[in-house]
Amino acid sequence: MIRFSPRVTALAAVVILAPAAAGCGINAIPTKEEAAKARWADVQSQYQRRADLVPNLVATVQGAAIAERTTLTQVIEARAQATGVTVTPETLSDPAAFQRYQAAQGQLSQALSRLLLVVERYPDIKSNQNFIALQSQLEGTENRIAVARRDYNEAVRDYNTSLRTFPTVIWANTIHGGSEPMQLFTATETAQTAPGVNFDALNPATQPGGGAPAAAPGSAPPAAPAAQ
């Protein structure tokens, strides 16, 4: 009778059992987790791309000497806040950290939307070739952000589902017991509301002393122009 050493027996057991274990989904959780983290890196890359466009966009609008400065300030402040809040792959399961990140990015989105609405009042800016190029890049980046967020959410849903369904739930409660559900992007409250801009501030006729002088009380209305 052939006798095998314990080492050879153990190696043979690993070779035989490894495919069976893999077929039961033992590797599914870490695999899906890494896929979700990779999609998160794509999200961050696109948000950073947008943040990098903001300084040039603001500088271009500032150069036109627009009357509405509050909106520019809001964009600058929102960018600073958005770039100051980070979520690492290790904190994707932290609801508070994720909500802060999403809120900061949402505020920048709203500030940029208000800025583009203001620019609608300035044909010189709208026809500026530098602004046109920046606006096109910004629109393209916003589309990429939407796609990256969608892909991230799909990867996270797949990963989170594996933590709760058979047979991977077995490994989630044993070998991969430290695995936590990741957070999903959701629609923010501000995303449901169109940004508001007070265009009256840009219209001199609506300012005190602006436009035609008011008629004195009791005075006759101005005469109509004579017919030609």
Side-chain angles (χ1 to χ4, degrees):
M1 181 176 180
I2 301 175
R3 300 179 61 86
F4 296 99
S5 68
R7 183 175 181 181
V8 172
T9 302
L11 180 60
V14 169
V15 171
I16 294 171
L17 294 177
C24 291
I26 193 173
N27 294 323
I29 290 177
T31 299
K32 293 178 180 182
E33 182 180 18
E34 291 305 315
K37 288 179 179 179
R39 299 290 77 77
W40 174 247
D42 294 339
V43 171
Q44 288 186 305
S45 175
Q46 297 306 326
Y47 272 132
Q48 184 60 54
R49 176 186 175 90
R50 181 176 71 172
D52 291 343
L53 290 173
V54 171
N56 287 337
L57 185 67
V58 169
T60 300
V61 176
Q62 279 180 328
I66 69 172
E68 177 55 62
R69 295 292 172 181
T70 302
T71 303
L72 285 173
T73 301
Q74 291 172 343
V75 170
I76 295 169
E77 292 175 348
R79 179 189 183 275
Q81 185 173 356
T83 55
V85 178
T86 59
V87 172
T88 65
E90 290 70 31
T91 56
L92 282 172
S93 57
D94 183 347
F98 198 86
Q99 288 171 8
R100 286 194 297 270
Y101 182 87
Q102 182 172 341
Q105 296 296 341
Q107 289 172 4
L108 179 54
S109 296
Q110 286 286 299
L112 286 169
S113 295
R114 285 192 292 269
L115 177 61
L116 295 179
L117 281 176
V118 167
V119 167
E120 289 297 316
R121 297 286 296 232
Y122 294 88
D124 289 346
I125 302 178
K126 291 173 61 179
S127 62
N128 182 294
Q129 292 301 313
N130 189 38
F131 176 80
I132 292 173
L134 288 169
Q135 185 179 29
S136 177
Q137 292 178 54
L138 181 61
E139 291 172 350
T141 300
E142 292 289 358
N143 290 335
R144 292 187 184 95
I145 288 173
V147 171
R149 284 175 44 144
R150 181 200 65 197
D151 291 347
Y152 166 78
N153 274 356
E154 289 177 355
V156 167
R157 286 192 183 96
D158 188 32
Y159 165 71
N160 288 350
T161 300
S162 70
L163 299 180
R164 302 175 56 189
T165 55
F166 183 85
T168 48
V169 67
I170 298 174
W171 312 119
N173 292 323
T174 54
I175 296 176
H176 304 303
S179 301
E180 296 289 339
M182 294 183 183
Q183 298 299 304
L184 291 165
F185 272 107
T186 57
T188 61
E189 292 183 5
T190 54
Q192 309 300 320
T193 306
V197 177
N198 180 17
F199 285 122
D200 287 343
L202 309 179
N203 186 355
T206 65
Q207 303 304 306
S219 62
Q228 299 297 323

